[in-house]
Amino acid sequence: MLTPAFDLSQDPDFLTIAIRVPYARASEFDVYFRGVDFKFYAKPYFLRLTLPGRIIENGSEQGSYDADKGLFTIQLPKETPGQHFEGLNMLTALLAPRKSRTAKPLVEEIGTSSVSEEGGEDDDEEFDWEIEQFPYEEVSESALKLQCHYGFGDLRSGVFQRLQDEFSDVIEIKNPDFTPAAERRQKRLAAELTKFDPDHYLADFFEDEAVEQVLKYNPWWTDTYSKMMAPLGKSQEQEDHAALVSFSEEEKFQLRKFVNKSYLLDKRTHRQVYYSLIDILLAYCYETRVTEGERNVESAWNIRKLSPTLCWFETWTNVREILVSFGRRVLCYPLYRHFKLVLKACRDTTEILQLGKSAVLKCLLDVHKIFQESDPSYILNDLYISDYCVWIQKAKAPCARCFGCFISPWIHVFFSLNLVTKCEIIEGPADKLSRVKACTFSPSLS
């Protein structure tokens, strides 16, 4: 069976499903809908959707078929007229999950209360951004080796035991399966200190014409964010925000190819997933800005190099760590190494997060495409990006948007009030930094 291309739209009273089934026999098709279930069959196509709202059969449903386009258009009445269906552009989440051929999972979700107690994604509980602290416990080296996980939600291990040589250009950490997180961070910091080139930094600081040019570039989310911030009536706000971000046909095709999954994440892992998402978005925003939206052969390298999550399998405990790490790497690795680009990428990331999960998903799909077309960066899709593309569709919309609101004041406090400054980002041996600090850290320039 083939899964057809499909689109969903809505008005206050009806849900409209457009299904493209070229070469199907229009005289032989079946449609079933009830509650949140929708099924369509026209050999060799089969589509099964789990809708975000309930529909009903009351005689007002309609259907049509355009033979030239091979397009079925089915209009279904909503059970509650006027209800707004959320997430109609989250195509992967709408597709019913595939049945597992393995044994049943060891953990079964009984109800929301049990998930909430374990710190999972609770529908009603507001995301807790407070950082938990735990007493230090001495762990033996042998035990640490058994705990070396990475990937989305730290769900992967053992991937590189036989593939280290093949993917050595993608990740910087050697033997990630046997390198604890604390050791990865130490090695990353040491590598950044070695890589920092004061001459390159000073050249970009004083000869910044190219940097100023890319700073003027407005990516797609800039205009979208401006529209979101424009005054809206309360009755229109929800619907207008959902329609601000649209997906191209290519992006919709990407979404249909993902396998629908569920992720059981405890509270700490849930927070780390959000932190790593910020790290990846920061790298993506820098890449989009410096290339002015025109991808090139270095795009995959830029994104993975600027994101310690992707090239060092780094994990985070707070936003400060992410911002400092991103700033350090921008001033150490890419072509343009300027502090203004750090600030701009941070503000871009804030805007994307405040636009909500549709904007985040659109960015992740672009990263996925970049990595998929870059050999051997595709391994990072398997480890991180594909899971992010599926997970973000099911994440509660307020979480991503609230997180954008959450990091915005942090960025202001860190940089405007000098809690995170160039001095903190550019740290290293005195002989390498004496000229940099003398030239760039005057009160008028820092």
Side-chain angles (χ1 to χ4, degrees):
M1 294 292 181
L2 302 177
T3 300
F6 65 96
D7 292 303
L8 291 89
S9 59
Q10 63 180 318
D11 59 34
D13 299 322
F14 290 91
L15 173 70
T16 302
I17 305 176
I19 308 172
R20 296 173 179 83
V21 286
Y23 312 116
R25 299 181 65 178
S27 59
E28 298 180 5
F29 73 94
D30 290 306
V31 176
Y32 169 85
F33 60 93
R34 182 178 182 181
V36 297
D37 296 325
F38 174 85
K39 298 182 179 69
F40 172 88
Y41 172 72
K43 189 177 181 179
Y45 299 97
F46 177 72
L47 178 65
R48 179 176 55 202
L49 302 176
T50 302
L51 302 172
R54 297 181 64 84
I55 52 179
I56 189 173
E57 183 177 358
N58 60 9
S60 62
E61 57 274 2
Q62 299 179 14
S64 62
Y65 177 68
D66 187 329
D68 294 332
K69 298 180 180 179
L71 179 68
F72 276 97
T73 303
I74 303 171
Q75 194 176 50
L76 306 173
K78 296 180 179 179
E79 184 175 278
T80 305
Q83 180 185 2
H84 180 78
F85 287 5
E86 290 282 354
L88 293 183
N89 54 359
M90 303 299 168
L91 303 187
T92 309
L94 294 173
L95 291 170
R98 299 180 183 180
K99 293 183 178 180
S100 173
R101 296 187 179 182
T102 61
K104 291 184 178 180
L106 297 178
V107 179
E108 181 179 358
E109 296 184 37
I110 302 299
T112 57
S113 59
S114 61
V115 176
S116 176
E117 291 173 359
E118 296 299 324
E121 295 183 44
D122 192 350
D123 293 359
D124 301 323
E125 182 178 302
E126 183 179 353
F127 191 84
D128 181 15
W129 298 113
E130 294 298 325
I131 300 169
E132 296 182 5
Q133 300 183 93
F134 300 92
Y136 175 79
E137 295 181 4
E138 189 72 29
V139 183
S140 65
E141 183 177 355
S142 58
L144 286 173
K145 289 184 177 180
L146 298 176
Q147 299 175 9
C148 297
H149 291 74
Y150 41 82
F152 176 86
D154 277 346
L155 298 176
R156 300 296 188 91
S157 62
V159 175
F160 292 92
Q161 291 183 12
R162 291 177 294 178
L163 301 174
Q164 181 67 50
D165 294 337
E166 186 174 351
F167 296 107
S168 59
D169 292 337
V170 178
I171 60 173
E172 296 185 43
I173 183 67
K174 304 299 181 184
N175 298 319
D177 294 299
F178 303 102
T179 307
E183 185 177 343
R184 293 178 205 165
R185 175 164 297 190
Q186 293 175 357
K187 291 183 176 181
R188 173 179 66 81
L189 295 175
E192 290 168 359
L193 291 179
T194 303
K195 185 64 178 177
F196 178 69
D197 183 353
D199 292 329
H200 192 141
Y201 175 80
L202 289 173
D204 282 356
F205 184 84
F206 289 108
E207 301 176 6
D208 60 351
E209 293 83 2
V211 173
E212 292 296 334
Q213 179 64 33
V214 298
L215 288 172
K216 295 176 182 178
Y217 172 71
N218 287 326
W220 63 266
W221 57 80
T222 301
D223 292 337
T224 307
Y225 181 78
S226 299
K227 294 178 182 178
M228 185 192 75
M229 299 304 292
L232 293 172
K234 292 183 179 179
S235 61
Q236 297 177 327
E237 184 172 358
Q238 184 182 32
E239 185 173 353
D240 288 349
H241 282 191
L244 285 175
V245 180
S246 61
F247 295 98
S248 66
E249 290 300 320
E250 183 179 7
E251 290 168 337
K252 293 176 182 177
F253 179 73
Q254 283 182 273
L255 289 172
R256 289 191 292 269
K257 291 177 65 177
F258 291 125
V259 176
N260 200 346
K261 302 178 184 178
S262 295
Y263 301 92
L264 294 177
L265 306 175
D266 60 31
K267 183 175 293 186
R268 185 191 301 182
T269 305
H270 188 205
R271 185 182 299 110
Q272 288 180 355
V273 165
Y274 268 108
Y275 286 150
S276 294
L277 175 63
I278 292 176
D279 178 58
I280 295 170
L281 288 177
L282 285 167
Y284 171 76
C285 288
Y286 175 93
E287 159 61 23
T288 301
R289 182 163 294 280
V290 298
T291 60
E292 299 186 3
E294 298 293 334
R295 303 291 175 246
N296 57 46
V297 294
E298 297 295 328
S299 294
W301 184 93
N302 267 342
I303 295 174
R304 69 174 190 253
K305 205 70 173 180
L306 295 180
S307 169
T309 296
L310 299 178
C311 64
W312 282 96
F313 300 157
E314 182 70 87
T315 56
W316 313 98
T317 58
N318 56 67
V319 177
R320 183 191 186 96
E321 291 179 347
I322 303 170
L323 298 179
V324 172
S325 173
F326 174 69
R328 286 165 62 95
R329 297 188 75 80
V330 167
L331 303 184
C332 289
Y333 291 98
L335 176 62
Y336 299 120
R337 307 178 186 180
H338 202 286
F339 194 70
K340 289 182 180 179
L341 289 172
V342 178
L343 297 176
K344 199 67 172 179
C346 289
R347 295 190 177 97
D348 286 339
T349 301
T350 302
E351 291 181 359
I352 291 171
L353 289 169
Q354 289 181 333
L355 281 170
K357 62 182 184 180
S358 293
V360 174
L361 177 58
K362 190 175 183 70
C363 296
L364 290 171
L365 289 174
D366 198 12
V367 175
H368 188 278
K369 179 183 177 182
I370 292 171
F371 285 165
Q372 200 66 26
E373 296 173 350
S374 174
D375 190 18
S377 296
Y378 65 85
I379 188 66
L380 297 175
N381 282 341
D382 296 336
L383 294 175
Y384 288 97
I385 308 303
S386 294
D387 286 320
Y388 266 113
C389 289
V390 175
W391 169 81
I392 195 64
Q393 297 183 60
K394 300 181 180 181
K396 293 302 171 184
C399 283
R401 186 172 295 124
C402 286
F403 200 66
C405 299
F406 176 75
I407 70 169
S408 181
W410 280 64
I411 293 172
H412 172 75
V413 171
F414 282 170
F415 294 113
S416 298
L417 303 183
N418 293 321
L419 294 181
V420 171
T421 63
K422 284 187 260 187
C423 291
E424 182 174 356
I425 290 175
I426 311 174
E427 57 182 10
D431 58 333
K432 294 184 70 174
L433 299 181
S434 57
R435 288 185 298 116
V436 173
K437 292 182 179 180
C439 295
T440 67
F441 288 96
S442 65
S444 62
L445 295 175
S446 59

